[in-house]
Structure formats: structure tokens, C-alpha cells
């Protein structure tokens, strides 16, 4: 039997200032926008800021619902809106920040499986790797290719 290993490379920074200038702005926007989340059930606010290849930044927050599964994560709110407004423009980077118990998370909150699936489809769609930046007060994690976050992901190649 053959063994295959999948690798994930995570860069870590201690401060926003260690990031590239355009990434610093993106992280700040993700931190700021999360105050607009609608999260009365979990009290867990998430903010996502998406940088497009054309320089535009689209933000989104988690939107919950009393019928719980009807809500949507911040990452997908931001990405679906970005792809709706600019269906031909690739996504370059997504920054994610979360806030709970009246403070930003100490450690980054990585995107859920469904969001990873959507991020990966977006990068496949535009044939451009999406950088993911996860903000935490103690550390900031950077993953340069979203595919690493979901090895063996489902894709439209299975539908051919
Ligand atoms: N949430 C996100 O917005 N992004 C994720 O990747 C994980 C979870 C939201 C969904 C829900 O509103 C709250 O966080 C608690 O799960």
C-alpha cells in the first residue's frame, strides 16, 4: 500500500505590523466589521475581509437565524457577495477575525469546513491561490494556499 501525506504550511506573526501593508489593512477591516455581525445566539462575532485582484475590499459578518442552520458564516457572506458583485475578478486574500465574551480571540479562529470548501472552489474558479489570514490577539496565522486547509476536497472535476 502506498502512503501519501498532505502538507500544510502556516506562517505566524505576533503583530499586524509584521504583515505586508495591504494585508495589514485587510486584517484591520476584518476586526472592525465584526461589530456588524448578527450573532444573538452564539454571541460569537466573526468578520471577514476579502481583497480582490482589482483592489476592492469586500467585508462580511456572520448572520445567524432562529432556525439555526439558516444562518451563514462571515467568510461565505463576504465571498458570495464579492463573487456576486465581481463575478470575473479573482480573490487574492481573505482575512478573518473573531470576537467572543467581549474580546478578540487570543488564538485565531480557523474557517469551518463548509467555508473551506467555498474558499477552495473560489480559488479553483479563478485559478489563483487565495491567501488566508487568521487574526488572533496572541498570533496571526497565514496560509498561502487555501487548498492546504482541505486536502481531498470535493470538486467539480468529479461531476465531469
Ligand atoms: N462562524 C463563522 O462565521 N465562520 C466560521 O468559519 C465558523 C463559525 C460563525 C457561525 C456562527 O454564527 C458562529 O460563528 C458560531 O458558530
Amino acid at each position: 500500500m502506498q502512503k501519501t501525506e498532505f502538507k500544510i504550511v502556516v506562517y505566524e506573526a505576533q503583530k499586524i505590523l509584521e504583515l505586508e501593508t495591504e494585508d495589514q489593512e485587510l486584517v484591520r477591516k476584518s476586526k472592525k466589521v465584526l461589530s456588524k455581525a448578527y450573532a444573538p445566539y452564539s454571541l460569537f462575532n466573526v468578520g471577514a475581509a476579502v481583497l480582490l485582484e482589482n483592489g476592492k475590499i469586500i467585508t462580511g459578518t456572520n448572520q445567524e437565524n432562529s432556525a439555526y442552520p439558516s444562518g451563514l458564516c462571515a467568510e461565505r457572506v463576504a465571498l458570495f457577495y464579492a463573487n456576486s458583485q465581481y463575478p470575473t475578478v479573482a480573490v487574492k486574500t481573505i482575512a478573518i477575525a473573531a470576537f467572543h465574551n467581549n474580546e478578540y480571540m487570543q488564538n485565531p479562529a480557523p474557517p469551518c469546513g463548509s467555508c473551506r470548501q467555498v474558499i477552495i472552489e473560489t480559488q479553483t474558479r479563478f485559478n489563483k491561490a487565495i491567501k488566508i489570514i487568521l487574526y488572533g490577539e496572541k498570533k496571526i496565522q497565514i496560509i498561502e494556499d487555501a487548498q492546504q486547509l482541505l486536502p481531498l476536497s470535493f470538486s467539480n472535476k468529479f461531476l465531469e
Side-chain angles (χ1 to χ4, degrees):
M1 212 185 295
Q2 194 188 311
K3 179 179 167 189
T4 307
E5 289 190 32
F6 296 92
K7 191 169 149 186
I8 170 163
V9 179
V10 181
Y11 295 92
E12 286 190 358
Q14 312 301 314
K15 292 191 176 74
I16 291 180
L17 283 174
E18 289 172 52
L19 305 178
E20 290 169 30
T21 319
E22 71 177 15
D23 291 344
Q24 292 181 23
E25 188 196 351
L26 208 61
V27 170
R28 290 201 181 95
K29 289 214 157 133
S30 70
K31 288 179 70 181
K32 192 164 177 214
V33 76
L34 55 68
S35 65
K36 295 181 180 166
Y38 178 63
Y41 306 105
S42 69
L43 303 177
F44 189 78
N45 286 28
V46 184
V50 170
L51 173 65
L52 300 178
E53 273 298 343
N54 63 5
K56 294 254 185 291
I57 293 177
I58 305 290
T59 57
T61 59
N62 52 329
Q63 299 295 314
E64 298 185 349
N65 192 278
S66 51
Y68 290 178
S70 302
L72 198 62
C73 296
E75 295 90 326
R76 278 176 286 163
V77 169
L79 276 173
F80 287 153
Y81 183 76
N83 292 332
S84 302
Q85 295 300 308
Y86 302 97
T88 58
V89 183
V91 171
K92 202 172 171 190
T93 312
I94 181 167
I96 302 154
F99 193 88
H100 190 47
N101 291 332
N102 277 325
E103 46 184 73
Y104 289 109
M105 300 297 286
Q106 289 297 307
N107 289 304
C112 75
S114 298
C115 288
R116 293 177 196 210
Q117 180 72 34
V118 169
I119 296 169
I120 288 168
E121 177 120 1
T122 308
Q123 73 171 32
T124 309
R125 172 178 173 183
F126 296 106
N127 197 22
K128 165 109 183 68
I130 297 177
K131 189 201 288 188
I132 302 182
I133 307 175
L134 306 173
Y135 176 79
E137 291 277 85
K138 268 203 323 220
K139 67 180 172 201
I140 300 162
Q141 293 177 319
I142 300 128
I143 297 111
E144 291 195 331
D145 179 346
Q147 185 63 55
Q148 294 178 2
L149 281 183
L150 196 61
L152 303 178
S153 58
F154 188 77
S155 87
N156 52 17
K157 71 171 186 264
F158 300 113
L159 302 175
E160 281 163 8

